[in-house]
């Protein structure tokens, strides 16, 4: 069987790449080891976690906040089995949707483990041991990432779980200990905290959300602490011992050294990051080069050092985000079809789907200072936004960073309700090279949370109206 393109992996990067290539007239096939398409994101990542975040948020609203709105529903009762079924229904709908789209675009699908057997050849080994050899002009590796393991700690997905196991718990743990204060740890920690768990987050660094704006991190930690999450920062985990009757003893000590202490937990979530997944691809055999972090090395056109082999998404450098992989999938498909694909890495939004949400795009203040770029900052709190006041969602703020000379927007950071949607406006603005003045002069509907974005843009030049 001969193709123009074979894509290994049908996560957001892979399936989007395949569909765009097929749209452009390339005979395309995909190889997927799972029974369903969508990769980590749709099966055990973005989609199921957002379903549980949504459901747990609704539970907490009914439990704690409905009465404030004049709604008396009594004490809500949690049916965790039904909530998990709601989550699974959302996953199934999305994965079946991808299957439909691949068929609609006449992309041929092969289920099994893909291995690059040589230039232009992909071997597919199915679960029953059968294999097929696919001949192709080009190969795109889009195999995504896997959870990072903590040395000396065994993930059994029962007591010590990864994000995958944390999405499948059959009971609410009395005590949940989360190792890692990044996006995954805080999102899943929030889910189980809302459902009744006592949540402690242990982080090696001295802050939450490493890599995001420092002021945002501090404010967000205060908000989560107020919600009941306990943080132990600048702390390292030195051991996890699972008890014979369940539960675990977690030994921690200060990152800088000092006396150790032992924390007890019913469930331990290891959420210290993700690593590129390239196992079994045969990269060493064909000579594809990787860096010291295991990421596949590519040039500006996603080409590896081996002719005809390309890579996108979590297996290459850059943020491990589904939408980044999607844009790369479109770009490489267009390049292979003779067009000029492009990804603007300076305008890739990042969102934490807790409540309130955290969203950012572009440079942080720390990055601008490090690069020696003069900038002006405008900040506006949601406590001064009419819609936020009316809704009772006043936690957080919007911060706009603009070049001191040109006023071009360099970065925007939001903590607040619906921040993930609010960030889209500024992402579009930045894509078109907008200044803070452009955003400030754009009429925003009233009363909306988007007015906080406008006010923050006005604040860059110290002329916000409502503060």
């Amino acid at each position: 069987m001969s193709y123009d393109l074979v894509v290994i992996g049908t996560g957001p990067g892979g399936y989007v790449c395949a569909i765009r290539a097929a749209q452009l007239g390339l005979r395309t096939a995909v190889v997927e080891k799972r029974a369903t398409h969508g990769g980590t994101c749709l099966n055990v990542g973005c989609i199921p976690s957002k379903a549980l975040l949504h459901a747990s948020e609704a539970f907490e609203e009914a439990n704690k906040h409905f009465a404030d709105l004049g709604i008396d529903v009594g004490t809500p009762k949690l049916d965790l089995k039904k909530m998990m079924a709601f989550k699974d229904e959302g996953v199934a709908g999305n994965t079946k949707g991808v299957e439909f789209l691949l068929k609609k675009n006449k992309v041929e699908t092969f289920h099994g483990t893909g291995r690059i057997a040589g230039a232009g050849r992909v071997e597919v080994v199915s679960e029953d041991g059968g294999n097929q050899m696919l001949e192709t002009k080009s190969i795109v590796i889009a195999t995504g990432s896997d959870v990072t393991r903590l040395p000396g700690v065994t993930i059994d997905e029962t007591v010590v779980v990864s994000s995958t196991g944390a999405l499948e718990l059959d009971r609410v743990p009395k005590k949940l200990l989360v190792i890692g204060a990044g996006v995954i740890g805080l999102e899943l920690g929030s889910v189980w905290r809302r459902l009744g768990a006592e949540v402690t987050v242990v982080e090696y660094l001295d802050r939450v959300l490493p890599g995001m704006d420092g002021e945002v991190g501090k404010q967000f930690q205060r908000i989560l602490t107020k919600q009941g999450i306990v943080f132990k920062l600048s702390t390292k985990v030195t051991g996890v011992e699972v008890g014979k009757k369940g539960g675990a003893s977690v030994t921690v000590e200060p990152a800088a050294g000092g006396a150790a202490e032992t924390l007890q937990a019913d469930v331990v979530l290891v959420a210290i990051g993700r690593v590129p997944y390239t196992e079994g691809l045969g990269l060493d055999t064909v000579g594809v080069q990787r860096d010291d972090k295991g990421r596949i090395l590519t040039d500006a056109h996603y080409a590896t050092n081996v002719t005809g082999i390309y890579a996108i998404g979590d297996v290459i450098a850059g943020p491990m985000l589904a939408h980044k992989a999607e844009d790369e999938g479109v770009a490489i498909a267009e390049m292979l079809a003779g067009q000029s694909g492009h990804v603007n890495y300076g305008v890739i939004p990042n969102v934490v789907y807790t409540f309130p949400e955290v969203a950012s795009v572009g440079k942080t203040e720390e990055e601008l200072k490090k690069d020696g770029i003069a900038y002006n900052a405008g900040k506006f709190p949601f406590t001064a936004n009419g819609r936020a006041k009316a809704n009772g969602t006043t936690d957080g703020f919007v911060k706009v960073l603009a070049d001191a000379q040109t006023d071009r927007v360099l970065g925007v950071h939001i903590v607040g309700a619906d921040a993930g949607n609010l960030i889209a406006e500024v992402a579009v603005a930045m894509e078109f090279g907008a200044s803070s003045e452009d955003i400030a002069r754009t009429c925003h509907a009233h009363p909306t949370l988007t007015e906080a974005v406008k006010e923050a843009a006005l604040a860059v030049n110290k002329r916000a109206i409502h503060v």
Side-chain angles (χ1 to χ4, degrees):
M1 288 175 251
S2 182
Y3 300 91
D4 295 312
L5 171 64
V6 171
V7 181
I8 305 176
T10 58
Y15 84 74
V16 167
C17 175
I19 289 172
R20 183 63 183 131
Q23 288 176 343
L24 293 169
L26 301 183
R27 187 179 182 197
T28 306
V30 293
V31 179
E32 174 55 55
K33 68 176 183 178
R34 278 190 172 92
T36 53
H37 298 293
T40 294
C41 177
L42 271 64
N43 287 278
V44 293
C46 316
I47 296 301
S49 65
K50 302 312 163 284
L52 288 183
L53 281 159
H54 172 70
S56 63
E57 186 179 325
F59 177 74
E60 182 162 77
E61 280 288 300
N63 201 25
K64 295 183 178 180
H65 305 302
F66 272 15
D68 297 335
L69 306 178
I71 304 171
D72 184 3
V73 295
T75 302
K77 181 181 178 183
L78 174 65
D79 185 338
L80 184 59
K81 186 176 180 180
K82 194 166 186 178
M83 187 177 286
M84 289 296 180
F86 166 78
K87 178 257 299 179
D88 292 341
E89 183 181 352
V91 169
N94 277 279
T95 57
K96 288 175 183 175
V98 172
E99 182 181 4
F100 166 77
L101 290 172
L102 291 170
K103 287 181 179 177
K104 176 186 174 184
N105 287 278
K106 297 180 173 57
V107 175
E108 294 190 48
T109 61
F110 295 88
H111 285 279
T113 301
R115 182 183 70 87
I116 301 172
R121 301 169 70 232
V122 176
E123 180 185 29
V124 183
V125 180
S126 59
E127 280 192 2
D128 60 10
N131 63 28
Q132 294 172 285
M133 189 66 72
L134 311 181
E135 304 288 338
T136 181
K137 294 177 183 176
S138 301
I139 300 167
V140 169
I141 300 168
T143 46
S145 58
D146 194 8
V147 297
T148 300
R149 265 64 179 177
L150 190 63
V153 176
T154 301
I155 294 176
D156 58 21
E157 299 297 14
T158 302
V159 175
V160 182
V161 301
S162 68
S163 54
T164 301
L167 294 167
E168 297 289 346
L169 298 180
D170 59 6
R171 60 183 174 82
V172 178
K174 186 176 186 300
K175 292 185 178 182
L176 171 67
L177 188 140
V178 180
I179 305 174
V183 176
I184 295 172
L186 297 183
E187 286 187 353
L188 292 177
S190 291
V191 166
W192 294 107
R193 196 277 307 161
R194 291 171 191 157
L195 298 181
E198 297 174 19
V199 178
T200 299
V201 178
V202 178
E203 169 58 48
Y204 183 81
L205 300 178
D206 62 355
R207 56 160 298 175
V208 304
L209 298 180
M212 296 189 82
D213 185 87
E215 185 179 13
V216 164
K218 289 177 182 177
Q219 173 85 328
F220 188 52
Q221 184 188 337
R222 285 196 290 267
I223 292 170
L224 293 183
T225 299
K226 189 169 64 174
Q227 291 178 1
I229 294 179
V230 175
F231 289 93
K232 295 183 75 67
L233 305 181
S234 299
T235 302
K236 61 183 176 182
V237 173
T238 57
V240 177
E241 184 177 342
V242 177
K244 293 181 180 179
K245 296 182 179 180
S249 298
V250 182
T251 306
V252 301
E253 61 184 56
E261 65 173 311
T262 300
L263 306 175
Q264 301 298 321
D266 299 292
V267 174
V268 178
L269 167 59
V270 179
I272 58 173
R274 298 186 65 83
V275 292
Y277 185 83
T278 57
E279 182 182 341
L281 282 174
L283 299 187
D284 293 335
T285 302
V286 295
V288 171
Q289 295 178 350
R290 284 172 282 181
D291 65 13
D292 57 358
K293 294 183 179 179
R295 300 175 299 193
I296 296 174
L297 292 169
T298 60
D299 64 14
H301 296 120
Y302 309 106
T304 69
N305 62 300
V306 178
T307 302
I309 301 178
Y310 305 84
I312 60 170
D314 287 3
V315 293
I316 68 172
M320 289 183 169
L321 298 169
H323 42 285
K324 175 256 197 187
E326 288 184 17
D327 278 11
E328 289 176 340
V330 170
I332 183 57
E334 292 177 347
M335 290 175 188
L336 292 174
Q339 298 186 3
S340 300
H342 174 70
V343 177
N344 182 358
Y345 289 99
V347 188
I348 295 180
N350 194 3
V351 183
V352 186
Y353 296 92
T354 47
F355 189 88
E357 293 180 344
V358 178
S360 66
V361 63
K363 298 288 187 180
T364 65
E365 285 202 69
E366 290 78 11
E367 288 171 332
L368 293 175
K369 289 174 181 176
K370 181 181 177 182
D371 294 340
I373 298 173
Y375 66 93
N376 294 319
K379 198 168 84 169
F380 188 82
F382 281 106
T383 51
N385 174 265
R387 182 65 180 273
K389 280 184 175 180
N391 290 356
T393 56
T394 55
D395 280 335
F397 60 87
V398 178
K399 179 162 67 173
V400 175
L401 307 175
D403 188 283
Q405 300 300 318
T406 66
D407 194 39
R408 182 169 181 163
V409 177
L410 303 175
V412 177
H413 308 276
I414 306 174
V415 183
D418 214 25
N421 286 323
L422 296 179
I423 205 70
E425 171 189 355
V426 289
V428 172
M430 289 174 66
E431 192 65 48
F432 284 88
S435 63
S436 68
E437 181 78 6
D438 290 325
I439 297 174
R441 292 284 180 183
T442 300
C443 189
H444 288 62
H446 174 77
T448 63
L449 300 178
T450 66
E451 291 175 287
V453 177
K454 175 176 180 172
E455 292 272 7
L458 284 166
V460 170
N461 290 301
K462 298 180 173 56
R463 62 183 209 276
I465 301 297
H466 291 91
V467 287

